[in-house]
Amino acid sequence: MNRASSAFHRQVGRTIAILTHLSYILLMQVKPGVNDQARSFAATARRAQIVEATIETIAELGYGQTTFARIAERAGLSSTRLISYHFADKQELMGQIVGDLYTEIGAFVGQRMAAHRTAAAALDGYIHATIEYIAEHRTHMKALLGIFLSGALTTEPSGNELVTLLPAEQILIEGQRQGEFRSFDTAVMAASIQRSLDGIPLLLESRPDLDLALCARELATIYELATRRAT
């Protein structure tokens, strides 16, 4: 591996770290629950059961119709008190869902980016991996969309925006540094890329039969043309 390739590999590693820690930043803006280290295996399993039942309920009924009673029914729990024991309120439960999903997305995308050695390949991988996750987890993404559209979480928007754009922007910055990409404003380009990806779950609401593989190829082509250096 040459020096440039090694440097870029380290940069990809930093990008993956940003992806996997985004969930932590979001969770810290929501009222914290019980320390993970203090939970028993049974308690952790119960929380996961509640989270999954909540995701399914939001995806089917919408955020406004998702109550502790409906979650308990879907999860097969005898009482809503079993939910209240683990989550102080609905907002804390939503924060856990968002944190869990961002952690999962980060790990999924990170694994698929790890082998790339150039900025162009990493950007292509980032776009394809994000859409691949959406394609394989439609219920989860529908629930995530419902949570955000409802305004269920009260978070600090400017800080979240900076962190959300960091993975794409890090790739762009490194691509310019290595001479792969043309000169452009990396923040503007990163926002364009990220918002294109964030809009896919919303597009699926109106076009559930959307060919996501084709969508990934089209977006990858758009941003390959937008970022590449003229020869």
Side-chain angles (χ1 to χ4, degrees):
M1 183 185 299
N2 60 37
R3 182 175 299 177
S5 180
S6 178
F8 183 72
H9 188 57
R10 289 194 297 272
Q11 187 63 45
V12 170
R14 289 193 290 272
T15 302
I16 293 168
I18 292 167
L19 284 164
T20 54
H21 287 292
L22 176 58
S23 61
Y24 174 80
I25 293 170
L26 289 167
L27 279 171
M28 289 303 99
Q29 297 182 62
V30 182
K31 181 166 57 179
V34 181
N35 189 304
D36 282 336
Q37 294 180 344
R39 296 189 190 119
S40 67
F41 176 80
T44 299
R46 177 68 79 191
R47 285 174 68 91
Q49 178 189 13
I50 293 167
V51 163
E52 192 60 32
T54 305
I55 288 170
E56 292 172 0
T57 304
I58 296 172
E60 180 181 344
L61 303 177
Y63 176 82
Q65 300 301 314
T66 298
T67 63
F68 276 13
R70 286 198 167 103
I71 296 167
E73 180 181 4
R74 185 174 293 270
L77 303 177
S78 60
S79 170
T80 58
R81 287 178 296 188
L82 291 172
I83 301 175
S84 300
Y85 175 79
H86 294 282
F87 299 98
D89 52 31
K90 192 174 179 181
Q91 186 186 37
E92 185 183 328
L93 176 53
M94 296 307 120
Q96 185 68 53
I97 290 170
V98 172
D100 286 355
L101 289 180
Y102 268 98
T103 297
E104 191 173 306
I105 293 168
F108 185 94
V109 174
Q111 287 175 359
R112 285 153 180 77
M113 288 178 62
H116 296 307
R117 296 291 183 269
T118 67
L123 182 57
D124 182 90
Y126 181 71
I127 292 170
H128 275 86
T130 302
I131 296 179
E132 183 183 349
Y133 181 90
I134 294 170
E136 294 180 6
H137 301 84
R138 291 199 181 200
T139 298
H140 292 73
M141 298 309 297
K142 187 178 179 70
L144 189 62
L145 180 65
I147 292 170
F148 282 127
L149 290 180
S150 70
L153 296 181
T154 54
T155 58
E156 200 285 302
S158 61
N160 282 351
E161 180 71 2
L162 288 173
V163 175
T164 301
L165 299 183
L166 268 176
E169 189 166 14
Q170 288 292 316
I171 296 170
L172 299 173
I173 290 170
E174 187 63 20
Q176 288 182 339
R177 194 180 72 82
Q178 296 287 351
E180 287 186 63
F181 294 157
R182 67 177 179 84
S183 177
F184 52 77
D185 187 299
T186 57
V188 172
M189 187 68 76
S192 177
I193 293 166
Q194 195 59 51
R195 293 299 163 256
S196 295
L197 296 171
D198 292 343
I200 299 301
L202 188 59
L203 185 57
L204 283 171
E205 290 296 295
S206 59
R207 296 183 57 186
D209 59 344
L210 180 67
D211 185 338
L212 289 178
L214 175 61
C215 183
R217 292 195 299 272
E218 290 288 357
L219 285 180
T221 299
I222 288 170
Y223 290 109
E224 189 273 329
L225 294 173
T227 57
R228 74 182 181 188
R229 187 175 183 177
T231 56

